[in-house]
Amino acid sequence: MTAPSGARLPQREDGPVAILAGSGQLPIQLVHHLEQTGQDCRVMAFRGFVSAELRGRADATVDLLDLRTIMQRLDAWKPRAVALVGAVRRPGFSALLGAFSLLRNRQEVREVIARGDDQVLRGAVMLLEERGYRVVGAHELAPGLVAPVTMAGRLAPSADDRQAVSIGLDLLSSLSAFDIGQAAIVAREHVLAVEGPEGTDRMLARVGRMRRSFLGLRRRREGGVLIKAAKRGQDLRVDMPAIGPRTVAEAARAGLSGIAVGAGSTLVLDQDRTIALADRLGLFLIAVELPWMDADHGS
């Protein structure tokens, strides 16, 4: 594609890191990491999404679709890198079309939006890169947040659990082309849920409600595994899968026996606390290699 007339030259290598922040703990932890390691950063908070804690720290607060102000702020900051971090709710088709059409051909934008959420995120990355910004992922700025293949809690999965993990990975791999989520819950050979637009925590709550309502009975631990992993072909710079202590707590409430995440491609927030909570609540927590990541990233 041809760069628009507003394209900029690459930004200064000594500039700050610009964090475009949505909701959740990841933006907070990333900013803390950058500050603790002596890296200059600027926080642009998306109004209505960012947490109160980070909102008070933000250098600018903008509306999600106010692309002109976002670009103006970045032009003023001249960052060495830009990271889109945290969750946001996808606006409606017409709102997205109107916002992106300020900077792109309207028909081209319409085609991108129609392809799904991943393509919308890639479209945002494209806009930034066309203006000369280097877009990076949280895993590049804070590699210590990424689950290593050696990550494991005190408890080990059973044979049934390992079978559930294998089925879940096959399921997520096959569903990647449909852009419908990064997580599934599998008990033995039965798929209990696939993550939709509601996110992982609400999917877990949905399974918990389903189990509680079944004949009004609920055993202490029905079993099942949450499998969370990057999709095949996913750009890890945006919407990288993540879990944290809240995920573990919700998995316990849903009666699961454990959690498996993609090694090297899933962020684990408060990693020590997350593992300790899994141990305390009686859940296993493991990282597993994703066969498709090697093919996607040539590693």
Side-chain angles (χ1 to χ4, degrees), residues 264-287:
S265 56
T266 303
L267 300 168
V268 181
L269 311 182
D270 286 328
Q271 194 164 134
D272 290 342
R273 189 158 70 94
T274 297
I275 294 173
L277 182 60
D279 290 343
R280 182 164 65 82
L281 294 179
L283 276 70
F284 71 82
L285 175 59
I286 60 172

Side-chain angles (χ1 to χ4, degrees), residues 146-168:
V146 180
V149 71
T150 55
M151 186 192 75
R154 180 166 43 83
L155 303 177
S158 67
D160 283 344
D161 293 329
R162 290 196 176 278
Q163 181 183 29
V165 171
S166 178
I167 291 171

Side-chain angles (χ1 to χ4, degrees), residues 87 181-185 193-208 226-229 239-244 246-248 250-251 254 256 259-261 266:
Q182 303 168 322
I185 297 174
V194 175
E195 182 185 38
E198 82 274 34
T200 302
D201 289 341
R202 291 184 179 178
M203 176 187 65
L204 287 163
R206 171 159 50 94
V207 169
L226 167 67
I227 302 98
K228 184 148 188 174
D239 196 27
M240 190 172 181
I243 67 165
R246 179 175 174 179
T247 315
V248 173
E250 291 291 345
L256 302 189
I259 299 171
V261 301
T266 303

